[in-house]
Amino acid sequence: MFREEQINLWDTPKGSWKCITTNGTIRRDGALVMGKGNALEARERFPDVDLMLGRLTSLWNVHVFPIPEFGLIGFPTKHNWYENADLGLIRTSCRELAELFDLDTLRGVVYLPRPGVGNGGLSWEIVRPVVAKELEHLGDRIIIVYL
């Protein structure tokens, strides 16, 4: 089972992967909309991450995308920035994240903020069982973070 820790995503150990919750909306300049929450914080910390994720999303649609240069993983929870999070998309994103471990694309620990909670409009009580079912086999390689 994954662990849950009350810690800021940006205070997690150096060298670990940090998931940022994203959406599928691309601006006219090709950048992914990253205007709130941990997505905004990532955009402010890592120049061009919004352009990188925008390019990947425009090529491959809404999927989980690792950005190794920054140790980040784009984890979609919404199709459009203005919508509430989609529980089905969260399930798909969990499966894609697990697949990255299964394919040996990811190693180490991944810190994942409670997906869809907060700006996504969902409660953790609704989201947690979905995340648990899809990621429990990864054990302590997944740490859910919250404040």
PDB file of all heavy atoms in Angstrom, residues 110-141:
ATOM      1  N   VAL A 110       8.036   8.113  -6.191  1.00  0.00           N
ATOM      2  CA  VAL A 110       7.211   9.142  -6.824  1.00  0.00           C
ATOM      3  C   VAL A 110       6.317   9.755  -5.755  1.00  0.00           C
ATOM      4  O   VAL A 110       5.630   9.038  -5.027  1.00  0.00           O
ATOM      5  CB  VAL A 110       6.336   8.557  -7.953  1.00  0.00           C
ATOM      6  CG1 VAL A 110       5.332   9.580  -8.451  1.00  0.00           C
ATOM      7  CG2 VAL A 110       7.203   8.056  -9.094  1.00  0.00           C
ATOM      8  N   TYR A 111       6.357  11.070  -5.676  1.00  0.00           N
ATOM      9  CA  TYR A 111       5.489  11.812  -4.777  1.00  0.00           C
ATOM     10  C   TYR A 111       4.334  12.360  -5.599  1.00  0.00           C
ATOM     11  O   TYR A 111       4.544  13.044  -6.596  1.00  0.00           O
ATOM     12  CB  TYR A 111       6.251  12.944  -4.090  1.00  0.00           C
ATOM     13  CG  TYR A 111       7.216  12.435  -3.055  1.00  0.00           C
ATOM     14  CD1 TYR A 111       8.502  12.043  -3.407  1.00  0.00           C
ATOM     15  CD2 TYR A 111       6.830  12.310  -1.722  1.00  0.00           C
ATOM     16  CE1 TYR A 111       9.389  11.543  -2.452  1.00  0.00           C
ATOM     17  CE2 TYR A 111       7.702  11.821  -0.767  1.00  0.00           C
ATOM     18  CZ  TYR A 111       8.980  11.437  -1.142  1.00  0.00           C
ATOM     19  OH  TYR A 111       9.849  10.945  -0.198  1.00  0.00           O
ATOM     20  N   LEU A 112       3.119  12.017  -5.183  1.00  0.00           N
ATOM     21  CA  LEU A 112       1.914  12.376  -5.915  1.00  0.00           C
ATOM     22  C   LEU A 112       0.971  13.144  -5.001  1.00  0.00           C
ATOM     23  O   LEU A 112       0.510  12.599  -3.998  1.00  0.00           O
ATOM     24  CB  LEU A 112       1.223  11.100  -6.433  1.00  0.00           C
ATOM     25  CG  LEU A 112      -0.151  11.224  -7.072  1.00  0.00           C
ATOM     26  CD1 LEU A 112      -0.093  12.051  -8.343  1.00  0.00           C
ATOM     27  CD2 LEU A 112      -0.727   9.841  -7.353  1.00  0.00           C
ATOM     28  N   PRO A 113       0.690  14.413  -5.319  1.00  0.00           N
ATOM     29  CA  PRO A 113      -0.341  15.113  -4.549  1.00  0.00           C
ATOM     30  C   PRO A 113      -1.680  14.413  -4.743  1.00  0.00           C
ATOM     31  O   PRO A 113      -1.896  13.766  -5.768  1.00  0.00           O
ATOM     32  CB  PRO A 113      -0.391  16.508  -5.182  1.00  0.00           C
ATOM     33  CG  PRO A 113       0.859  16.640  -5.964  1.00  0.00           C
ATOM     34  CD  PRO A 113       1.263  15.253  -6.363  1.00  0.00           C
ATOM     35  N   ARG A 114      -2.554  14.524  -3.804  1.00  0.00           N
ATOM     36  CA  ARG A 114      -3.872  13.897  -3.914  1.00  0.00           C
ATOM     37  C   ARG A 114      -4.535  14.353  -5.215  1.00  0.00           C
ATOM     38  O   ARG A 114      -4.982  15.492  -5.329  1.00  0.00           O
ATOM     39  CB  ARG A 114      -4.734  14.271  -2.722  1.00  0.00           C
ATOM     40  CG  ARG A 114      -4.250  13.651  -1.432  1.00  0.00           C
ATOM     41  CD  ARG A 114      -5.070  14.118  -0.263  1.00  0.00           C
ATOM     42  NE  ARG A 114      -4.748  13.339   0.921  1.00  0.00           N
ATOM     43  CZ  ARG A 114      -5.269  13.575   2.115  1.00  0.00           C
ATOM     44  NH1 ARG A 114      -6.146  14.550   2.281  1.00  0.00           N
ATOM     45  NH2 ARG A 114      -4.926  12.823   3.138  1.00  0.00           N
ATOM     46  N   PRO A 115      -4.585  13.476  -6.222  1.00  0.00           N
ATOM     47  CA  PRO A 115      -5.076  13.914  -7.536  1.00  0.00           C
ATOM     48  C   PRO A 115      -6.573  14.216  -7.541  1.00  0.00           C
ATOM     49  O   PRO A 115      -7.370  13.461  -6.989  1.00  0.00           O
ATOM     50  CB  PRO A 115      -4.755  12.722  -8.449  1.00  0.00           C
ATOM     51  CG  PRO A 115      -4.679  11.551  -7.540  1.00  0.00           C
ATOM     52  CD  PRO A 115      -4.204  12.070  -6.217  1.00  0.00           C
ATOM     53  N   GLY A 116      -6.916  15.350  -8.152  1.00  0.00           N
ATOM     54  CA  GLY A 116      -8.309  15.740  -8.269  1.00  0.00           C
ATOM     55  C   GLY A 116      -8.880  16.437  -7.059  1.00  0.00           C
ATOM     56  O   GLY A 116     -10.013  16.908  -7.074  1.00  0.00           O
ATOM     57  N   VAL A 117      -8.105  16.530  -5.990  1.00  0.00           N
ATOM     58  CA  VAL A 117      -8.543  17.163  -4.752  1.00  0.00           C
ATOM     59  C   VAL A 117      -8.028  18.604  -4.765  1.00  0.00           C
ATOM     60  O   VAL A 117      -6.971  18.895  -5.287  1.00  0.00           O
ATOM     61  CB  VAL A 117      -8.010  16.380  -3.532  1.00  0.00           C
ATOM     62  CG1 VAL A 117      -8.381  17.065  -2.231  1.00  0.00           C
ATOM     63  CG2 VAL A 117      -8.526  14.941  -3.561  1.00  0.00           C
ATOM     64  N   GLY A 118      -8.753  19.506  -4.205  1.00  0.00           N
ATOM     65  CA  GLY A 118      -8.355  20.916  -4.241  1.00  0.00           C
ATOM     66  C   GLY A 118      -8.983  21.579  -5.454  1.00  0.00           C
ATOM     67  O   GLY A 118     -10.212  21.607  -5.585  1.00  0.00           O
ATOM     68  N   ASN A 119      -8.150  22.060  -6.372  1.00  0.00           N
ATOM     69  CA  ASN A 119      -8.669  22.722  -7.575  1.00  0.00           C
ATOM     70  C   ASN A 119      -9.489  21.783  -8.461  1.00  0.00           C
ATOM     71  O   ASN A 119     -10.244  22.237  -9.305  1.00  0.00           O
ATOM     72  CB  ASN A 119      -7.527  23.327  -8.395  1.00  0.00           C
ATOM     73  CG  ASN A 119      -6.879  24.494  -7.691  1.00  0.00           C
ATOM     74  OD1 ASN A 119      -7.565  25.299  -7.073  1.00  0.00           O
ATOM     75  ND2 ASN A 119      -5.568  24.584  -7.770  1.00  0.00           N
ATOM     76  N   GLY A 120      -9.330  20.492  -8.267  1.00  0.00           N
ATOM     77  CA  GLY A 120     -10.094  19.524  -9.051  1.00  0.00           C
ATOM     78  C   GLY A 120     -11.519  19.333  -8.583  1.00  0.00           C
ATOM     79  O   GLY A 120     -12.349  18.763  -9.286  1.00  0.00           O
ATOM     80  N   GLY A 121     -11.816  19.777  -7.367  1.00  0.00           N
ATOM     81  CA  GLY A 121     -13.181  19.741  -6.869  1.00  0.00           C
ATOM     82  C   GLY A 121     -13.665  18.411  -6.308  1.00  0.00           C
ATOM     83  O   GLY A 121     -14.817  18.295  -5.917  1.00  0.00           O
ATOM     84  N   LEU A 122     -12.812  17.394  -6.266  1.00  0.00           N
ATOM     85  CA  LEU A 122     -13.220  16.097  -5.726  1.00  0.00           C
ATOM     86  C   LEU A 122     -12.746  15.951  -4.285  1.00  0.00           C
ATOM     87  O   LEU A 122     -11.808  16.613  -3.858  1.00  0.00           O
ATOM     88  CB  LEU A 122     -12.641  14.957  -6.569  1.00  0.00           C
ATOM     89  CG  LEU A 122     -13.029  14.919  -8.046  1.00  0.00           C
ATOM     90  CD1 LEU A 122     -12.325  13.770  -8.752  1.00  0.00           C
ATOM     91  CD2 LEU A 122     -14.535  14.824  -8.217  1.00  0.00           C
ATOM     92  N   SER A 123     -13.369  15.051  -3.560  1.00  0.00           N
ATOM     93  CA  SER A 123     -12.925  14.791  -2.186  1.00  0.00           C
ATOM     94  C   SER A 123     -11.969  13.593  -2.187  1.00  0.00           C
ATOM     95  O   SER A 123     -12.084  12.687  -3.023  1.00  0.00           O
ATOM     96  CB  SER A 123     -14.121  14.504  -1.282  1.00  0.00           C
ATOM     97  OG  SER A 123     -14.664  13.237  -1.563  1.00  0.00           O
ATOM     98  N   TRP A 124     -11.071  13.574  -1.231  1.00  0.00           N
ATOM     99  CA  TRP A 124     -10.124  12.476  -1.107  1.00  0.00           C
ATOM    100  C   TRP A 124     -10.857  11.176  -0.798  1.00  0.00           C
ATOM    101  O   TRP A 124     -10.425  10.098  -1.199  1.00  0.00           O
ATOM    102  CB  TRP A 124      -9.077  12.803  -0.055  1.00  0.00           C
ATOM    103  CG  TRP A 124      -7.991  11.785   0.102  1.00  0.00           C
ATOM    104  CD1 TRP A 124      -7.577  11.197   1.268  1.00  0.00           C
ATOM    105  CD2 TRP A 124      -7.142  11.225  -0.921  1.00  0.00           C
ATOM    106  NE1 TRP A 124      -6.555  10.308   1.035  1.00  0.00           N
ATOM    107  CE2 TRP A 124      -6.260  10.316  -0.320  1.00  0.00           C
ATOM    108  CE3 TRP A 124      -7.055  11.405  -2.297  1.00  0.00           C
ATOM    109  CZ2 TRP A 124      -5.312   9.587  -1.018  1.00  0.00           C
ATOM    110  CZ3 TRP A 124      -6.094  10.685  -3.011  1.00  0.00           C
ATOM    111  CH2 TRP A 124      -5.237   9.785  -2.369  1.00  0.00           C
ATOM    112  N   GLU A 125     -11.972  11.238  -0.111  1.00  0.00           N
ATOM    113  CA  GLU A 125     -12.740  10.042   0.211  1.00  0.00           C
ATOM    114  C   GLU A 125     -13.223   9.338  -1.061  1.00  0.00           C
ATOM    115  O   GLU A 125     -13.340   8.121  -1.103  1.00  0.00           O
ATOM    116  CB  GLU A 125     -13.945  10.385   1.101  1.00  0.00           C
ATOM    117  CG  GLU A 125     -13.566  10.798   2.510  1.00  0.00           C
ATOM    118  CD  GLU A 125     -12.980  12.213   2.601  1.00  0.00           C
ATOM    119  OE1 GLU A 125     -13.336  13.087   1.771  1.00  0.00           O
ATOM    120  OE2 GLU A 125     -12.146  12.439   3.483  1.00  0.00           O
ATOM    121  N   ILE A 126     -13.496  10.095  -2.107  1.00  0.00           N
ATOM    122  CA  ILE A 126     -13.930   9.524  -3.387  1.00  0.00           C
ATOM    123  C   ILE A 126     -12.737   9.054  -4.216  1.00  0.00           C
ATOM    124  O   ILE A 126     -12.783   8.009  -4.857  1.00  0.00           O
ATOM    125  CB  ILE A 126     -14.766  10.559  -4.178  1.00  0.00           C
ATOM    126  CG1 ILE A 126     -16.095  10.789  -3.470  1.00  0.00           C
ATOM    127  CG2 ILE A 126     -14.987  10.117  -5.620  1.00  0.00           C
ATOM    128  CD1 ILE A 126     -16.911  11.933  -4.037  1.00  0.00           C
ATOM    129  N   VAL A 127     -11.662   9.814  -4.191  1.00  0.00           N
ATOM    130  CA  VAL A 127     -10.500   9.531  -5.040  1.00  0.00           C
ATOM    131  C   VAL A 127      -9.610   8.427  -4.461  1.00  0.00           C
ATOM    132  O   VAL A 127      -9.081   7.597  -5.197  1.00  0.00           O
ATOM    133  CB  VAL A 127      -9.670  10.819  -5.267  1.00  0.00           C
ATOM    134  CG1 VAL A 127      -8.403  10.540  -6.063  1.00  0.00           C
ATOM    135  CG2 VAL A 127     -10.512  11.885  -5.958  1.00  0.00           C
ATOM    136  N   ARG A 128      -9.456   8.398  -3.157  1.00  0.00           N
ATOM    137  CA  ARG A 128      -8.513   7.470  -2.524  1.00  0.00           C
ATOM    138  C   ARG A 128      -8.715   6.011  -2.923  1.00  0.00           C
ATOM    139  O   ARG A 128      -7.743   5.321  -3.248  1.00  0.00           O
ATOM    140  CB  ARG A 128      -8.560   7.606  -1.000  1.00  0.00           C
ATOM    141  CG  ARG A 128      -7.434   6.853  -0.314  1.00  0.00           C
ATOM    142  CD  ARG A 128      -7.508   6.981   1.209  1.00  0.00           C
ATOM    143  NE  ARG A 128      -6.276   6.558   1.829  1.00  0.00           N
ATOM    144  CZ  ARG A 128      -5.879   5.294   1.932  1.00  0.00           C
ATOM    145  NH1 ARG A 128      -6.607   4.323   1.426  1.00  0.00           N
ATOM    146  NH2 ARG A 128      -4.732   5.000   2.506  1.00  0.00           N
ATOM    147  N   PRO A 129      -9.954   5.473  -2.926  1.00  0.00           N
ATOM    148  CA  PRO A 129     -10.110   4.063  -3.315  1.00  0.00           C
ATOM    149  C   PRO A 129      -9.637   3.773  -4.742  1.00  0.00           C
ATOM    150  O   PRO A 129      -9.097   2.692  -5.015  1.00  0.00           O
ATOM    151  CB  PRO A 129     -11.616   3.814  -3.178  1.00  0.00           C
ATOM    152  CG  PRO A 129     -12.125   4.894  -2.300  1.00  0.00           C
ATOM    153  CD  PRO A 129     -11.216   6.066  -2.493  1.00  0.00           C
ATOM    154  N   VAL A 130      -9.828   4.722  -5.645  1.00  0.00           N
ATOM    155  CA  VAL A 130      -9.375   4.549  -7.029  1.00  0.00           C
ATOM    156  C   VAL A 130      -7.852   4.504  -7.083  1.00  0.00           C
ATOM    157  O   VAL A 130      -7.256   3.617  -7.699  1.00  0.00           O
ATOM    158  CB  VAL A 130      -9.921   5.691  -7.928  1.00  0.00           C
ATOM    159  CG1 VAL A 130      -9.293   5.653  -9.307  1.00  0.00           C
ATOM    160  CG2 VAL A 130     -11.434   5.618  -8.007  1.00  0.00           C
ATOM    161  N   VAL A 131      -7.217   5.451  -6.408  1.00  0.00           N
ATOM    162  CA  VAL A 131      -5.753   5.500  -6.369  1.00  0.00           C
ATOM    163  C   VAL A 131      -5.203   4.240  -5.705  1.00  0.00           C
ATOM    164  O   VAL A 131      -4.249   3.632  -6.198  1.00  0.00           O
ATOM    165  CB  VAL A 131      -5.264   6.781  -5.653  1.00  0.00           C
ATOM    166  CG1 VAL A 131      -3.758   6.770  -5.460  1.00  0.00           C
ATOM    167  CG2 VAL A 131      -5.696   8.031  -6.430  1.00  0.00           C
ATOM    168  N   ALA A 132      -5.822   3.836  -4.602  1.00  0.00           N
ATOM    169  CA  ALA A 132      -5.356   2.643  -3.884  1.00  0.00           C
ATOM    170  C   ALA A 132      -5.422   1.406  -4.770  1.00  0.00           C
ATOM    171  O   ALA A 132      -4.460   0.626  -4.834  1.00  0.00           O
ATOM    172  CB  ALA A 132      -6.188   2.444  -2.621  1.00  0.00           C
ATOM    173  N   LYS A 133      -6.543   1.226  -5.464  1.00  0.00           N
ATOM    174  CA  LYS A 133      -6.706   0.037  -6.310  1.00  0.00           C
ATOM    175  C   LYS A 133      -5.651  -0.012  -7.414  1.00  0.00           C
ATOM    176  O   LYS A 133      -5.093  -1.068  -7.703  1.00  0.00           O
ATOM    177  CB  LYS A 133      -8.097   0.016  -6.919  1.00  0.00           C
ATOM    178  CG  LYS A 133      -8.328  -1.201  -7.800  1.00  0.00           C
ATOM    179  CD  LYS A 133      -9.700  -1.215  -8.414  1.00  0.00           C
ATOM    180  CE  LYS A 133      -9.841  -2.493  -9.225  1.00  0.00           C
ATOM    181  NZ  LYS A 133     -10.687  -2.355 -10.353  1.00  0.00           N
ATOM    182  N   GLU A 134      -5.371   1.128  -8.023  1.00  0.00           N
ATOM    183  CA  GLU A 134      -4.473   1.158  -9.183  1.00  0.00           C
ATOM    184  C   GLU A 134      -2.990   1.191  -8.814  1.00  0.00           C
ATOM    185  O   GLU A 134      -2.146   0.766  -9.600  1.00  0.00           O
ATOM    186  CB  GLU A 134      -4.809   2.355 -10.078  1.00  0.00           C
ATOM    187  CG  GLU A 134      -6.220   2.361 -10.610  1.00  0.00           C
ATOM    188  CD  GLU A 134      -6.581   1.147 -11.437  1.00  0.00           C
ATOM    189  OE1 GLU A 134      -5.680   0.522 -12.046  1.00  0.00           O
ATOM    190  OE2 GLU A 134      -7.783   0.810 -11.485  1.00  0.00           O
ATOM    191  N   LEU A 135      -2.667   1.696  -7.618  1.00  0.00           N
ATOM    192  CA  LEU A 135      -1.251   1.893  -7.278  1.00  0.00           C
ATOM    193  C   LEU A 135      -0.764   1.069  -6.092  1.00  0.00           C
ATOM    194  O   LEU A 135       0.422   1.104  -5.763  1.00  0.00           O
ATOM    195  CB  LEU A 135      -0.976   3.381  -7.017  1.00  0.00           C
ATOM    196  CG  LEU A 135      -1.229   4.325  -8.189  1.00  0.00           C
ATOM    197  CD1 LEU A 135      -0.958   5.769  -7.773  1.00  0.00           C
ATOM    198  CD2 LEU A 135      -0.392   3.950  -9.399  1.00  0.00           C
ATOM    199  N   GLU A 136      -1.660   0.310  -5.449  1.00  0.00           N
ATOM    200  CA  GLU A 136      -1.268  -0.407  -4.235  1.00  0.00           C
ATOM    201  C   GLU A 136      -0.128  -1.387  -4.467  1.00  0.00           C
ATOM    202  O   GLU A 136       0.712  -1.589  -3.594  1.00  0.00           O
ATOM    203  CB  GLU A 136      -2.471  -1.097  -3.597  1.00  0.00           C
ATOM    204  CG  GLU A 136      -3.055  -2.230  -4.407  1.00  0.00           C
ATOM    205  CD  GLU A 136      -4.321  -2.782  -3.764  1.00  0.00           C
ATOM    206  OE1 GLU A 136      -4.621  -2.429  -2.606  1.00  0.00           O
ATOM    207  OE2 GLU A 136      -5.012  -3.563  -4.425  1.00  0.00           O
ATOM    208  N   HIS A 137      -0.056  -1.981  -5.638  1.00  0.00           N
ATOM    209  CA  HIS A 137       0.998  -2.969  -5.900  1.00  0.00           C
ATOM    210  C   HIS A 137       2.389  -2.336  -5.975  1.00  0.00           C
ATOM    211  O   HIS A 137       3.390  -3.036  -5.911  1.00  0.00           O
ATOM    212  CB  HIS A 137       0.695  -3.743  -7.191  1.00  0.00           C
ATOM    213  CG  HIS A 137       0.857  -2.943  -8.440  1.00  0.00           C
ATOM    214  ND1 HIS A 137      -0.070  -2.012  -8.858  1.00  0.00           N
ATOM    215  CD2 HIS A 137       1.863  -2.931  -9.352  1.00  0.00           C
ATOM    216  CE1 HIS A 137       0.349  -1.464  -9.991  1.00  0.00           C
ATOM    217  NE2 HIS A 137       1.507  -1.995 -10.311  1.00  0.00           N
ATOM    218  N   LEU A 138       2.455  -1.003  -6.062  1.00  0.00           N
ATOM    219  CA  LEU A 138       3.755  -0.320  -6.106  1.00  0.00           C
ATOM    220  C   LEU A 138       4.324  -0.067  -4.712  1.00  0.00           C
ATOM    221  O   LEU A 138       5.476   0.347  -4.582  1.00  0.00           O
ATOM    222  CB  LEU A 138       3.640   0.997  -6.882  1.00  0.00           C
ATOM    223  CG  LEU A 138       3.299   0.821  -8.360  1.00  0.00           C
ATOM    224  CD1 LEU A 138       3.020   2.172  -9.003  1.00  0.00           C
ATOM    225  CD2 LEU A 138       4.412   0.089  -9.094  1.00  0.00           C
ATOM    226  N   GLY A 139       3.518  -0.306  -3.696  1.00  0.00           N
ATOM    227  CA  GLY A 139       3.992  -0.191  -2.318  1.00  0.00           C
ATOM    228  C   GLY A 139       4.566   1.176  -1.997  1.00  0.00           C
ATOM    229  O   GLY A 139       3.993   2.202  -2.342  1.00  0.00           O
ATOM    230  N   ASP A 140       5.732   1.174  -1.365  1.00  0.00           N
ATOM    231  CA  ASP A 140       6.326   2.430  -0.899  1.00  0.00           C
ATOM    232  C   ASP A 140       7.032   3.217  -2.002  1.00  0.00           C
ATOM    233  O   ASP A 140       7.708   4.195  -1.725  1.00  0.00           O
ATOM    234  CB  ASP A 140       7.268   2.178   0.277  1.00  0.00           C
ATOM    235  CG  ASP A 140       8.426   1.268  -0.075  1.00  0.00           C
ATOM    236  OD1 ASP A 140       8.528   0.819  -1.230  1.00  0.00           O
ATOM    237  OD2 ASP A 140       9.238   1.003   0.831  1.00  0.00           O
ATOM    238  N   ARG A 141       6.855   2.810  -3.246  1.00  0.00           N
ATOM    239  CA  ARG A 141       7.403   3.612  -4.352  1.00  0.00           C
ATOM    240  C   ARG A 141       6.508   4.804  -4.680  1.00  0.00           C
ATOM    241  O   ARG A 141       6.906   5.714  -5.388  1.00  0.00           O
ATOM    242  CB  ARG A 141       7.626   2.762  -5.595  1.00  0.00           C
ATOM    243  CG  ARG A 141       8.750   1.730  -5.389  1.00  0.00           C
ATOM    244  CD  ARG A 141       9.015   0.954  -6.642  1.00  0.00           C
ATOM    245  NE  ARG A 141       7.946  -0.041  -6.814  1.00  0.00           N
ATOM    246  CZ  ARG A 141       7.853  -0.855  -7.843  1.00  0.00           C
ATOM    247  NH1 ARG A 141       8.742  -0.789  -8.831  1.00  0.00           N
ATOM    248  NH2 ARG A 141       6.882  -1.733  -7.924  1.00  0.00           N
TER     249      ARG A 141
END
